[in-house]
Amino acid sequence: MQPTPTVSIAEMLRQIIILLTSAALSLQALPPLNVQVQGQLPRADGSDTRRPLRPLSFSPDGTFQVSIFEDLHFGENEEGPWGPEQDKLTVKVINEVLDKESAGLVVLNGDLITGENTFQHNSTAYINEMVAPMLERRLSWASTYGNHDYDVNISGALILERERRWRNSRTMSMVPGRDAGVSNYYLPVYPRKCCRRDCGSPELILWFFDSRGGNYFQEHRADGSAVPQPNWVDESVVRWFEETSAGLAAQYGRTIPSLAFVHIPTNASLTLQTEGGPGGGIDPNREPGINDDYNLAQQGQGWCANGTADGTCAYGGQDVPFMRAMAATQGLIGVFSGHDHGDTWCHRWDGLVPGMAVAGTGAALCFGQHSGYGGYGDWVRGSRQVRLSLETLRERKWEAETWIRLETGNVVGAVTLNATYGTDVYPATPNDKTYCTTC
Ligand SMILES: *[C@@H]1O[C@H](CO)[C@@H](O)[C@H](O)[C@H]1NC(C)=O
Ligand SMILES: *[C@@H]1O[C@H](CO)[C@@H](O)[C@H](O)[C@H]1NC(C)=O
Ligand SMILES: *[C@@H]1O[C@H](CO)[C@@H](O)[C@H](O)[C@H]1NC(C)=O
Ligand SMILES: *[C@@H]1O[C@H](CO)[C@@H](O)[C@H](O)[C@H]1NC(C)=O
Ligand SMILES: *[C@@H]1O[C@H](CO)[C@@H](O)[C@H](O)[C@H]1NC(C)=O
């Protein structure tokens, strides 16, 4: 007997449902950060803001790694010829590093763009080039803004707006007000992949601070000159940090270990560089790294204590509240800065060194590595890596491994930031240079 038409329609419907279900399942199975194929098509400029990102989490192997790029300085000499050439090399640096490392998060630690050179109509367009390596690898990133990200034609707020076109950006602004700057926020890191609602308790907190500087956007004095913006972490941000971190400790009933990122280092780094430790300064085997920016430039540099920046004062001391807050933070493993392209060491901030306003409590103060071909200096470009272990943190050992991956592929300055950092002996870091030969 011939099958009746009804049976064959039912069978067709069944097949269609199976097809649709498997198509839906295969869509669901796609990695969460795929901006190319998931859901609707991305916008013409590649931007995508549809679904929020999954919170950060440790890898299945129990580690979490941050790759820090600092002082990328995109957008110099934009009408050419050498500016676009050096930006191409900068993108190559990011690609070389990310190919070799297992980043769980990319941090862009300030001076993303050299804002005093860029035009108002497209000053943040450089973000597109900068984030392409992360989009290609489905990585997310989080930024702090630096003094060069603030100028007459650019601002942290505009960069944030541009970044937020991609869901891969985790940058936020949690403290309102003109004095706060923009990139002040925190990101919790959970022990394993979780959905938005039920993540349990974070095992690590990443704090991001805006040390501001540069000039205010589209503001001019009567004589037409730009209006300088203070170059330290504002007290309103310090208060927000103290309240928020106390709130987190109360909510979870324990100290959650943390890392902090801020573009400009504090005066404590200067004291450690010039006077710290027996014999003073940076020991090439105990604090391996390049130490060419001597004396380093710190928050409050060039400002007077009364808040004027007229070239009469070397340093105004306005970073003292921020230093106090950092020193008072239990479980803070390290504070990571850029700004001084020629410094790449980590120094343990423990106790009171002569000249220091605030005694340290064991956090490491670290520089990264100049990552961009823009900005001053020809020190070999690279990126500091920081890796944490869930097991170690759960033993209440507030430690991290860190090293610098160079664009050459080599690794230098591999150390453990632990209780004996500063006495442990490591190979010294060679002071290598690289150049843009087509610039
Ligand atoms: C911005 O505009 C300038 C001048 O029109 C141009 O030379 C430059 O390439 C543009 N930059 C970007 C990133 O689009
Ligand atoms: C700011 O941008 C405008 C318009 O894009 C340009 O004419 C001006 O030269 C820029 N200013 C600076 C300081 O680069
Ligand atoms: C800043 O550092 C310098 C150099 O170590 C030191 O002389 C000065 O007292 C420090 N000031 C503050 C407020 O930390
Ligand atoms: C601020 O202090 C500096 C240095 O002490 C001084 O030269 C300047 O006149 C002061 N400015 C004001 C507005 O008080
Ligand atoms: C710190 O790390 C170094 C290098 O891995 C190691 O030799 C040293 O024993 C560690 N110190 C502590 C207190 O664990």
Side-chain angles (χ1 to χ4, degrees), residues 342-357:
D343 290 337
T344 68
W345 40 262
C346 290
H347 200 301
R348 205 172 141 81
W349 182 27
D350 207 2
L352 197 63
V353 171
M356 205 178 250

Side-chain angles (χ1 to χ4, degrees), residues 78-79 119 121-122 125-126 129:
E78 53 189 341
E79 288 177 297
F119 296 103
H121 66 270
N122 67 357
Y126 295 94
E129 290 172 58

Side-chain angles (χ1 to χ4, degrees), residues 304 306 308 310 312-313:
C304 299
N306 63 15
T308 59
D310 56 4
T312 55
C313 303

